[in-house]
Amino acid sequence: MKLLYTLNQKPPHGMTFLLALQHMLASIGGIVAVPLIVGASIGLPNDEIVSLINAALLVSGIVTIAQCVGIGPVGIKLPVVMGSSFAFLGVAISIGNESGVAGIMGAALVGSFVVVIASFYMDKVRKLFPTVVSGVVVTLIGLTILPVAMNWVGDAPAVSSEFATLPKLFLAAVSLGIVVAVSVYCKGAVAASAIVIGLAGGYLVALSMGMVNLEQISTAAWIGGAEPFKYGLTFSASAIVSMSLVYIVVIAEATGDFMALANNCQTKIDGKDLKRGLLGDGLGSTLAACLTAMPLASFSQNVGIVGITGVASRYVVAATGALLILAGLFPKLAAIAVTIPKPVLGGVGFVMFGMIAYAGIRMLIKAADTKRNALVICVGLASGLAVTFEPRLLQHLPHELSNFLHSGITTGTIVTVLLHQLLPKSSKQEEQEAHAEIRAMVKEEMNELEQQEESQEISQTELPAKSNN
């Protein structure tokens, strides 16, 4: 797919704002949800939950800008949106119920250095992720995150009679339909804004149906912000170990996200790039703990937006970071986005998450078509999806190991990497894989040349028109 804006292009200011807004709207629900759920689960009063939310938005914005623009050795310089990660939800609630917010922040602070240390070994880690492995990981990211969109559409506990009622299904279908229609029948800037148009259209329909709760806007404060070390820090060995295990999961997920994003941006990344990205991830979580925010991770849904819109500009997502900072400083701005009904987000999420899986499938097509690779792909995908669809498969494992493998991305990644390293590979197969990768590189170069020729033809046809004027 031809990119509308490449990685280092800067769209016009008005277009940058609109494109940044759709990244913000896609991510703000997840950023807000983690501190909201954790705060409510450990019994914090509403004003303190709001404080956690403000801190989460502020830190997410700061670290997003760092990842997009790059600050010294920190930041992968890809359009990465960073936010509070659902991966930490269970362990944060468990620690919070035992040691309060101070225990969560203490464990998060120490655990963040696991990611920082791991970042210095990414040159070696990158060698573990050839095309066949990275394709499985990226596909799993898209497929395992789809249940999030399904839960957004249901907007109630799965056992409840209110789950996925007809009005909710209608809202999701309308939002999805708008995104598809705009992407197919519109061009240029309008097509690139398909996500935000779908969200806006679904929001207006929800307003007309009385399904938007505007109370959150009226009750939100005008000015807010983060309070460093508000609850202090306490340290528990068991809490630190539990949190560190989740950070290891985040390393695997972040690696997959970065590779998927690079693929959508039509650029190459190496171990040094992954090191910069993971270092930004780890230091971002360190900052989050200091400012009393939940640990951070890259947001997969925004990877899908890049794939759908063709907007790979890192400056657009850096502007998203600025919007998140504003939302953290002015809670009423964030409250507007938070009022978007979950079914609207779910309808749009179907496209975003599906696009990530599509990016992974495209990567798998580039891998050599051998029986060995087929086994690696099939078993890797099946392992990741198995623990996603049936978590009870892990119920008899030791608690720490069960927590570590509960993520389908983590399980699938480990299985795929191990199979690729352990299964015997014939010299003929190695030659086939090398040729396949060369063909893929040549094809990409040909596509780039065609795009350059097209842009030159367009500029040449525009010159006479300008001279005639």
Side-chain angles (χ1 to χ4, degrees):
M1 183 178 71
K2 186 176 179 180
L3 294 177
L4 183 63
Y5 294 106
T6 58
L7 185 64
N8 295 309
Q9 280 185 313
K10 296 180 180 179
H13 294 309
M15 178 54 58
T16 296
F17 172 77
L18 187 63
L19 296 173
L21 183 62
Q22 70 181 2
H23 277 282
M24 177 188 175
L25 293 175
S27 59
I28 196 168
I31 296 172
V32 168
V34 174
L36 180 65
I37 295 170
V38 172
S41 299
I42 65 177
L44 290 182
N46 288 337
D47 59 331
E48 294 189 17
I49 294 175
V50 169
S51 178
L52 290 180
I53 292 173
N54 290 341
L57 290 167
L58 184 63
V59 174
S60 295
I62 294 171
V63 183
T64 294
I65 293 174
Q67 288 281 34
C68 295
V69 177
I71 302 174
V74 178
I76 196 170
K77 295 184 180 180
L78 289 177
V80 180
V81 175
M82 302 294 293
S84 303
S85 174
F86 282 98
F88 294 94
L89 204 56
V91 68
I93 292 172
S94 176
I95 295 171
N97 283 326
E98 185 175 336
S99 307
V101 179
I104 297 174
M105 297 305 156
L109 179 64
V110 177
S112 67
F113 292 109
V114 171
V115 185
V116 173
I117 294 169
S119 69
F120 291 96
Y121 298 93
M122 289 311 292
D123 284 328
K124 296 180 180 178
V125 172
R126 184 66 185 92
K127 294 178 182 178
L128 298 175
F129 290 87
T131 303
V132 65
V133 176
S134 56
V136 171
V137 176
V138 174
T139 304
L140 278 173
I141 290 173
L143 295 179
T144 58
I145 203 173
L146 269 175
V148 174
M150 298 174 192
N151 289 330
W152 282 345
V153 173
D155 194 24
V159 295
S160 169
S161 60
E162 293 299 312
F163 184 83
T165 57
L166 290 180
K168 294 174 183 176
L169 292 176
F170 175 74
L171 265 186
V174 167
S175 305
L176 174 60
I178 293 173
V179 173
V180 172
V182 172
S183 298
V184 172
Y185 296 108
C186 299
K187 296 181 179 180
V190 178
S193 305
I195 298 296
V196 74
I197 293 172
L199 289 170
Y203 190 84
L204 291 174
V205 173
L207 271 175
S208 67
M209 297 171 65
M211 296 179 66
V212 179
N213 181 10
L214 299 175
E215 183 181 351
Q216 295 178 65
I217 299 175
S218 60
T219 56
W222 284 102
I223 299 176
E227 298 181 43
F229 303 109
K230 179 178 179 179
Y231 300 92
L233 300 171
T234 60
F235 303 97
S236 161
S238 61
I240 290 170
V241 170
S242 297
M243 190 70 76
S244 297
L245 288 172
V246 182
Y247 274 114
I248 294 173
V249 173
V250 168
I251 292 171
E253 293 185 358
T255 302
D257 280 344
F258 293 152
M259 290 188 296
L261 193 54
N263 183 71
N264 284 347
C265 294
Q266 298 178 12
T267 188
K268 298 287 186 181
I269 58 172
D270 56 21
K272 292 181 180 178
D273 296 312
L274 290 174
K275 173 185 174 181
R276 294 173 59 91
L278 211 59
L279 189 58
D281 198 328
L283 292 178
S285 291
T286 304
L287 176 65
C290 294
L291 296 181
T292 320
M294 295 295 159
L296 303 181
S298 56
F299 268 31
S300 300
Q301 55 261 50
N302 297 89
V303 179
I305 292 177
V306 173
I308 296 167
T309 62
V311 177
S313 172
R314 58 195 176 100
Y315 298 102
V316 166
V317 178
T320 301
L323 292 177
L324 289 170
I325 291 173
L326 284 175
L329 296 175
F330 301 99
K332 280 194 181 293
L333 294 178
I336 296 172
V338 173
T339 60
I340 298 175
K342 289 293 192 299
V344 174
L345 290 173
V348 173
F350 272 38
V351 183
M352 294 189 298
F353 303 155
M355 186 59 71
I356 298 172
Y358 169 71
I361 293 168
R362 286 183 62 191
M363 294 171 74
L364 290 174
I365 291 172
K366 296 177 183 178
D369 185 15
T370 64
K371 184 176 181 180
R372 178 185 180 278
N373 280 355
L375 285 171
V376 171
I377 293 168
C378 294
V379 178
L381 286 174
S383 301
L385 294 176
V387 299
T388 301
F389 295 149
E390 187 48 88
R392 290 176 297 178
L393 289 172
L394 306 174
Q395 63 183 342
H396 295 298
L397 294 179
H399 181 68
E400 291 78 9
L401 183 59
S402 176
N403 278 344
F404 181 65
L405 296 176
H406 85 282
S407 167
I409 299 169
T410 304
T411 301
T413 299
I414 292 172
V415 170
T416 307
V417 169
L418 287 176
L419 284 175
H420 190 266
Q421 294 298 317
L422 297 176
L423 289 182
K425 185 188 295 186
S426 65
S427 57
K428 181 179 179 181
Q429 184 174 343
E430 290 176 347
E431 186 178 343
Q432 286 178 327
E433 290 187 358
H435 286 317
E437 291 185 359
I438 291 171
R439 286 196 300 271
M441 291 172 62
V442 170
K443 185 177 179 181
E444 288 179 2
E445 290 177 0
M446 292 295 292
N447 289 336
E448 289 177 4
L449 288 173
E450 289 176 3
Q451 290 177 12
Q452 291 175 3
E453 290 174 0
E454 287 177 6
S455 61
Q456 289 174 358
E457 290 175 2
I458 291 171
S459 61
Q460 289 173 358
T461 55
E462 287 178 348
L463 285 174
K466 289 181 180 179
S467 60
N468 290 336
N469 291 334

